[in-house]
Amino acid sequence: MTGRRDGLMRSSSNHSFRMSRIVIAIAIGVVLGFIFAFLYPNGLFRSDPPTSGRRLSKSDLQMASSDCESSERISMLKADIIALKEKNAELKKQLRELSQKLLSAEQRKDNAETEFLPLVQQSKAGAFGTVKASRTNPNVAPDGSVNPRLAKILEEVAVKKEIIVALANSNVKDMLEVWYTSIKKVGISNFLVVALDDEIYSFCKSNNVPVYKRDPDEGVDSIGRTGGNHAVSGLKFRILREFLQLGYSVLLSDVDIVYLQNPFDHLHRDSDVESMTDGHDNRTAYGFNDVFDEPAMGWARYAHTMRIWVYNSGFFYMRPTVPSIELLDRVASRLAREPKSWDQAVFNEELFFPSHPGYDGLHASKRTMDYYLFMNSKVLFKTVRKDANLRKLKPVVIHVNYHPEKLARMQAVFEYYVNGKQDALDSFPDGSQ
């Protein structure tokens, strides 16, 4: 009895325990239901209700408008993509056409070279030490239509297609007189004055000096009539072009120069440009190795440089070649763009600067004149007049370019070398006062 009673009691206890677990589970379910009902009143997996049968809120309208704009934007982007694809196809087509044209041009060039080479005399390179390149570019074909009036004057005045040319206005009248007097004294006939105003034109005519007055050019003539030395000097690069186009070699001369011999007897004519130098000895005139010292570089502190003193743009011989004409064009163009630039600096930069990134240098051959024959006034007054042996030399020309009192020194040079006055140069200082 006791065992049965214990079994019934255990069975009743187990049943009560199961009932308690069910009640607890129901209670937890009810509590969770209340919580989800509170947190998610519209359901956990709701979908937007249909708009029909209810009023649209402001936010609904904004969302609808945004959807429309996005659709329009997508349509526009698609249209742009289609247009870009079409443009890209067109560019590809043009590129193919250009490539074909370039290929065709290269083929024609190759054919032309193939046909031309047999016409050119070719030779093999000689033995070591015997090879010498030519520096003499061919002359351009004369074009008389450039300036028929000037062409007629040059036919009468030039000798062997060569001529001395000087530009002058009334500001340099006195120096011009010494200039042409020395030329006539030597017996030079092939020289010409480009008169920049009416006074100089009349002055030359009355003194039997070959003269040429250009046709009116307001931009040039205003400078020519009233400009100073530098302004007038800049004009020559434009004016000389016509002389070269007509097929004449030009010896350009400033008027602050005294002639003692005929310069055409002392030219080499092997280069496009043959110029007087501002140098005063062999190093400065013909070039030298100058060492730049930068101690901060240590072992590499010494950098070797090549230097040469500039060519004088007031006295140079120019043959009628393409590089010569290109030089005139380059200098004239730069002076027009840079009115404050000094023509001599521009002249040398265009003549000497090599090709480098962003710049194509001028391929012109050049020669430096003998500085004892074609002498500047620094060489004369600082060196030559103080040396007994050098005083015996007779230069071809003397250019008073280093001194401001030009007329007085020109007259003294004329007295010393032409009239034999031995003390004519003694009163002047080496430099300017």
Side-chain angles (χ1 to χ4, degrees):
M1 291 293 292
T2 302
R4 182 178 181 188
R5 192 167 42 246
D6 291 340
L8 290 172
M9 288 178 67
R10 283 195 297 270
S11 175
S12 175
S13 175
N14 291 336
H15 177 72
S16 298
F17 179 70
R18 284 196 298 270
M19 290 300 293
S20 298
R21 290 173 62 185
I22 293 171
V23 170
I24 292 170
I26 293 171
I28 291 173
V30 172
V31 171
L32 290 175
F34 278 115
I35 291 173
F36 277 98
F38 177 78
L39 294 178
Y40 304 98
N42 295 320
L44 184 60
F45 303 103
R46 72 178 181 90
S47 58
D48 291 337
T51 56
S52 60
R54 67 179 181 91
R55 295 179 60 185
L56 294 175
S57 65
K58 184 177 180 180
S59 61
D60 292 333
L61 293 174
Q62 289 177 345
M63 291 177 62
S65 175
S66 177
D67 291 341
C68 292
E69 291 178 358
S70 298
S71 178
E72 292 176 359
R73 180 64 176 167
I74 291 172
S75 299
M76 292 175 61
L77 289 174
K78 288 181 178 179
D80 290 342
I81 291 172
I82 293 172
L84 289 173
K85 287 182 177 179
E86 293 176 351
K87 183 67 175 178
N88 186 44
E90 180 65 23
L91 290 174
K92 287 183 177 179
K93 180 181 177 182
Q94 293 178 1
L95 180 61
R96 286 194 298 270
E97 292 175 353
L98 289 174
S99 299
Q100 292 174 354
K101 290 181 180 179
L102 179 61
L103 180 61
S104 177
E106 290 177 347
Q107 290 173 347
R108 288 197 298 271
K109 177 185 175 183
D110 293 340
N111 292 337
E113 289 179 349
T114 302
E115 295 175 0
F116 177 73
L117 285 176
L119 303 177
V120 179
Q121 183 177 359
Q122 293 179 294
S123 59
K124 295 181 180 180
F128 181 83
T130 65
V131 177
K132 186 175 181 180
S134 173
R135 298 182 303 276
T136 308
N137 286 304
N139 289 357
V140 298
D143 184 3
S145 64
V146 170
N147 190 330
R149 186 165 63 87
L150 176 60
K152 184 177 180 180
I153 295 174
L154 293 176
E155 286 177 3
E156 298 173 355
V157 177
V159 175
K160 297 180 180 178
K161 305 287 282 187
E162 294 179 322
I163 190 165
I164 299 172
V165 176
L167 279 65
N169 62 16
S170 54
N171 293 333
V172 295
K173 181 178 178 181
D174 294 335
M175 286 191 292
L176 178 65
E177 185 173 9
V178 178
W179 179 83
Y180 72 69
T181 299
S182 68
I183 288 178
K184 288 184 175 182
K185 186 75 174 177
V186 173
I188 303 170
S189 61
N190 52 330
F191 70 99
L192 181 69
V193 175
V194 178
L196 300 176
D197 57 34
D198 293 333
E199 182 178 351
I200 288 296
Y201 182 78
S202 300
F203 177 71
C204 289
K205 281 291 188 182
S206 62
N207 287 278
N208 196 28
V209 173
V211 63
Y212 162 66
K213 181 75 163 57
R214 300 175 65 254
D215 292 331
D217 184 334
E218 186 57 36
V220 173
D221 293 345
S222 61
I223 298 174
R225 290 192 299 268
T226 61
N229 287 343
H230 287 306
V232 171
S233 184
L235 291 179
K236 61 192 172 208
F237 299 100
R238 293 180 58 179
I239 294 173
L240 289 183
R241 193 185 203 278
E242 292 183 345
F243 288 81
L244 299 188
Q245 284 182 280
L246 293 171
Y248 289 84
S249 295
V250 175
L251 181 58
L252 185 279
S253 173
D254 282 353
V255 296
D256 57 346
I257 294 176
V258 177
Y259 286 73
L260 304 172
Q261 298 186 61
N262 190 330
F264 294 110
D265 294 337
H266 299 273
L267 296 174
H268 290 263
R269 299 176 178 84
D270 63 348
S271 304
D272 298 305
V273 180
E274 199 167 340
S275 179
M276 170 184 282
T277 175
D278 273 1
H280 57 89
D281 56 22
N282 286 345
R283 295 175 72 251
T284 57
Y286 308 138
F288 62 102
N289 179 15
D290 184 51
V291 180
F292 176 78
D293 183 11
E294 189 177 5
M297 287 298 296
W299 176 82
R301 64 182 292 179
Y302 300 110
H304 290 256
T305 69
M306 298 305 300
R307 297 186 61 188
I308 184 173
W309 285 30
V310 296
Y311 282 178
N312 191 291
S313 65
F315 190 87
F316 58 83
Y317 177 80
M318 187 172 282
R319 293 177 50 249
T321 65
V322 169
S324 296
I325 295 173
E326 183 182 357
L327 173 62
L328 296 177
D329 289 350
R330 283 176 176 236
V331 176
S333 297
R334 276 194 57 186
L335 292 175
R337 297 193 309 268
E338 308 166 12
K340 293 184 179 180
S341 296
W342 184 25
D343 68 280
Q344 180 161 292
V346 174
F347 174 74
N348 279 272
E349 289 171 2
E350 294 297 334
L351 190 56
F352 282 95
F353 280 179
S355 298
H356 55 262
Y359 175 79
D360 289 330
L362 179 71
H363 298 280
S365 57
K366 44 197 171 288
R367 170 181 282 274
T368 305
M369 293 177 173
D370 186 325
Y371 68 91
Y372 278 131
L373 294 179
F374 299 90
M375 190 181 297
N376 60 60
S377 57
K378 180 177 181 177
V379 173
L380 173 64
F381 285 97
K382 190 176 179 181
T383 304
V384 171
R385 67 170 176 166
K386 300 177 183 179
D387 188 295
N389 291 323
L390 294 177
R391 286 173 70 97
K392 298 175 184 178
L393 293 175
K394 188 176 183 180
V396 177
V397 301
I398 294 178
H399 189 180
V400 186
N401 61 315
Y402 268 99
H403 301 87
E405 61 274 37
K406 295 181 181 296
L407 180 59
R409 293 194 186 237
M410 287 179 69
Q411 292 169 337
V413 168
F414 192 88
E415 287 295 320
Y416 179 81
Y417 284 102
V418 178
N419 295 332
K421 188 177 179 181
Q422 294 301 303
D423 62 349
L425 305 175
D426 296 346
S427 61
F428 295 95
D430 290 353
S432 58
Q433 295 287 6

